[in-house]
Amino acid sequence: MAPSVGLGGASVGSAPPRLDQPFVTGFIHGPRGKIPSVSSALEKADRWGTFKARWGVGRMGYTVDPGLYGLGSPGKDSPVLVTANYKMSFDSLRVALPGRDAWILVLDTRGINVWCAAGKGTFGTIELVGRIAQASLRDVVTHRELIVPQLGAPGVSAPKARKLSGFRVRFGPVRAEDLPAYLDAGMKASPGMRRKDFPLWDRAVLIPIELVAVLKAALPVAAVMFFLSGFFGRGGFVPNLVDEGVFSFAAVMGALFAGTVLGPLLLPYLPGRAFGARGFAAGILAALALIALKGYDTGTAYGFLRGVSWLLMISSLSSYLVMNFTGSSTFTSLSGVKREMRRYLPLQVAACASGLALWVAARFFA
Amino acid sequence: MAGLTYLKDVVTLALDEQRCTGCGMCLEVCPHEVFQMDGRTVRIRDRDACMECGACSLNCPAGALTVKAGVGCAAAVINGMLGRKGASCCCAE
C-alpha cells in the first residue's frame, strides 16, 4: 500500500473514505464502521465543479476518496458498481441511478477518469482486488458480483480478478446513463450499450480544455508575430503593426481556432482518415476565410506571398493541433497514431517553416 | 460512425482461432464491435475499427487474442520522444 499522503485533497492509502466530503449526505453502519452515503441528485457545487474541470480549473485535484459508498439505502443484495475517483466519473455514475440502491466502490485512479486510467493501468485488477479487501466487501454483500464499466476493461482482467478476489466481474454498459436499463434486463447489455461512439456533443465538451491549453502556447507566438510585423514591409513600424501585425495576431488565433474548435467539431466531415489530414483541411478553410477577409491583393507578388505564407502556416499549425486531438478521440490506435506522425510531423514542420520563410521574404518584397 | 474511421491495415490485433473457446468475452469488452460470433468461435469482423485498447486480450480466458496495447495519443508519443517523464495524455473527459 502507498503511504497515506494528501493528493489533491483525497487521501491515498488504506483509510476509509471520509464522511466530511461535501457531497456525502449521511452514513450507513457497515461491518467495519461507517460507510458514507450519497444521493443521486447533484448539488450546485457538483455542477460548478464539473464546469470548472471542463475549463481546466482545479481539474487535477478534482477527486473523491477511494473506497466504498452507499447510494440510497443499499443492503446485502444490492449491486456493487465500480468507478474511478475522478469526481466527474463518480457524479455521472450516481446521477444515472435516481431512486436506486447500490454500493459504489471507488478505485484510486489519482483523479483520472475510468477509460484513461484503465489505459494507464491505474484502474486495474490489482487496485480493484485491493480495494475489495480494504472495503471488506465480502462482509457488506452476500453475493459475489461486481459491475465494472466496460471502458474499464483495458485495465481490469475479469478472469484474474475472480481468481484473486472471488468476485465475478460483469462489464456494464459504456455509458452510465444505460445502467438502469442494463440492471433491469438482468445485467444484459444491448449491442448499442457496448459501442463507444464519438458524437458531436462528446467532441464539443472537449473543446474548452484543449482551447485553454493551446492558448497558453499560442499567445506568445501571436505576440511575437505581431511585433515582427512592424519591421520592413510597406510603411513605418506603427502602420505595419496596424496592417500586418493585427492580421498576424488574428492568423495565429485562427490556426488555434481551426485546430481546437473547427477540427473537433467537423471531424467526421473533413477529408482523410489521418487526423493530420483532417487538420490541414480545417486549417485551409480557416486560412482562406481569413485571407479573404483581409483582402490581400493576390495579383501582386507582395499580396500573393503573404497569402500563401499564411495558408501554409495556418494549415500546418491546425494539422498539428488536430493530430494531438487523437488522444481525446475514442477510436485511434497507437499503431495508427505512430504511422500518421511519421508522415505528417515532417509535413507540418516543412509547411510551417516554408510559410514563415515566405512571410519574411514578403516583408522585403514590399 | 460514418466519417469516423481511422487508418487502414495498421493495428496489431491478432486472433488464434485454434485457441478460441467462443466464450464471447471479447464481444462484451470491445467498444468498437471488432468481433463477431461465427459458429462456435469468434472471428474478426472489422479489424480497422480496433483502437488497440487491449481489453480483449486482457480478458480472453483462453489467451487467443494478442494486441500491442497502447493509447492512441499523439501528445503522449511526442512527450515520450522528448523523454518527458509521465508521458501521459491529457485525458480531457
Side-chain angles (χ1 to χ4, degrees):
Chain A
M1 271 287 146
S4 194
V5 288
L7 184 87
S11 56
V12 181
S14 53
R18 290 168 298 177
L19 294 166
D20 60 356
Q21 297 176 89
F23 51 89
V24 172
T25 52
F27 61 85
I28 301 159
H29 286 288
R32 302 274 185 282
K34 292 170 180 173
I35 299 170
S37 60
V38 296
S39 133
S40 78
L42 295 190
E43 301 289 327
K44 220 182 240 171
D46 300 317
R47 294 182 211 283
W48 178 235
T50 296
F51 179 79
K52 281 198 298 183
R54 289 285 187 208
W55 285 92
V57 180
R59 197 161 69 102
M60 285 312 160
Y62 199 47
T63 58
V64 303
D65 289 353
L68 191 65
Y69 294 79
L71 176 70
S73 320
K76 286 186 172 306
D77 304 321
S78 300
V80 181
L81 303 157
V82 183
T83 190
N85 83 322
Y86 182 37
K87 176 86 176 358
M88 216 190 284
S89 305
F90 182 77
D91 283 354
S92 64
L93 172 59
R94 62 193 177 107
V95 84
L97 296 163
R100 306 245 173 184
D101 300 320
W103 298 104
I104 298 179
L105 185 65
V106 177
L107 304 192
D108 183 6
T109 60
R110 317 282 154 101
I112 302 291
N113 72 71
V114 173
W115 207 11
C116 287
K120 289 181 168 81
T122 45
F123 189 98
T125 314
I126 300 302
E127 164 63 17
L128 175 65
V129 170
R131 205 53 65 182
I132 291 169
Q134 182 242 323
S136 307
L137 199 58
R138 296 182 145 274
D139 304 322
V140 175
V141 292
T142 48
H143 65 79
R144 292 292 175 261
E145 278 186 335
L146 302 166
I147 301 172
V148 172
Q150 186 189 326
L151 295 184
V156 171
S157 163
K160 208 168 153 193
R162 187 169 200 174
K163 237 174 264 168
L164 294 174
S165 71
F167 278 81
R168 178 183 173 189
V169 169
R170 318 263 318 218
F171 286 109
V174 164
R175 284 165 300 272
E177 67 204 57
D178 288 330
L179 268 169
Y182 171 84
L183 291 168
D184 291 345
M187 298 202 227
K188 289 262 183 312
S190 67
M193 291 183 196
R194 295 246 170 266
R195 199 167 49 231
K196 178 64 183 168
D197 296 331
F198 202 29
L200 181 65
W201 179 249
D202 287 17
R203 302 194 301 273
V205 294
L206 300 173
I207 289 173
I209 196 82
E210 301 272 330
L211 201 59
V212 169
V214 179
L215 199 58
K216 285 177 195 158
L219 273 176
V221 174
V224 167
M225 292 303 286
F226 172 77
F227 181 71
L228 288 180
S229 301
F231 298 98
F232 305 107
R234 282 250 158 104
F237 187 74
V238 173
N240 273 345
L241 286 187
V242 174
D243 175 33
E244 185 66 15
V246 170
F247 182 73
S248 298
F249 193 90
V252 176
M253 290 300 132
L256 169 120
F257 178 81
T260 61
V261 181
L262 220 51
L265 285 183
L266 299 180
L267 198 63
Y269 315 107
L270 294 168
R273 284 170 175 259
F275 278 45
R278 297 177 204 245
F280 265 116
I284 289 168
L285 278 180
L288 291 179
L290 276 165
I291 291 164
L293 269 176
K294 170 73 178 161
Y296 277 139
D297 181 5
T298 48
T300 67
Y302 183 47
F304 183 77
L305 279 182
R306 291 202 290 175
V308 171
S309 71
W310 280 117
L311 186 65
L312 285 168
M313 284 191 279
I314 293 172
S315 61
S316 57
L317 284 172
S318 167
S319 172
Y320 179 78
L321 292 174
V322 174
M323 197 176 75
N324 272 284
F325 194 64
T326 49
S328 303
S329 82
T330 61
F331 61 98
T332 53
S333 62
L334 180 58
S335 301
V337 165
K338 283 183 172 167
R339 179 193 281 178
E340 85 158 271
M341 283 180 69
R342 277 195 300 273
R343 181 175 303 175
Y344 282 91
L345 207 51
L347 258 176
Q348 289 154 1
V349 171
C352 196
S354 49
L356 189 62
L358 278 181
W359 184 78
V360 171
R363 309 302 302 149
F364 293 99
F365 241 96
Chain B
M1 271 211 297
L4 289 180
T5 42
Y6 202 43
L7 309 186
K8 274 184 188 171
D9 300 324
V10 68
V11 295
T12 52
L13 177 71
L15 165 69
D16 182 350
E17 282 97 349
Q18 301 298 309
R19 286 193 178 189
C20 176
T21 59
C23 73
M25 195 64 175
C26 51
L27 278 83
E28 215 163 284
V29 297
C30 178
H32 292 299
E33 297 178 324
V34 167
F35 306 101
Q36 193 173 44
M37 272 317 265
D38 187 13
R40 295 177 62 180
T41 59
V42 145
R43 72 176 186 88
I44 295 177
R45 184 188 68 86
D46 186 0
R47 200 158 164 279
D48 291 336
C50 173
M51 59 176 292
E52 302 185 322
C53 73
C56 58
S57 63
L58 187 67
N59 278 283
C60 177
L65 284 160
T66 49
V67 63
K68 227 175 113 190
V71 181
C73 172
V77 175
I78 291 169
N79 281 334
M81 288 192 312
L82 296 175
R84 281 187 203 148
K85 253 196 87 88
S88 66
C89 202
C90 30
C91 288
E93 203 181 327

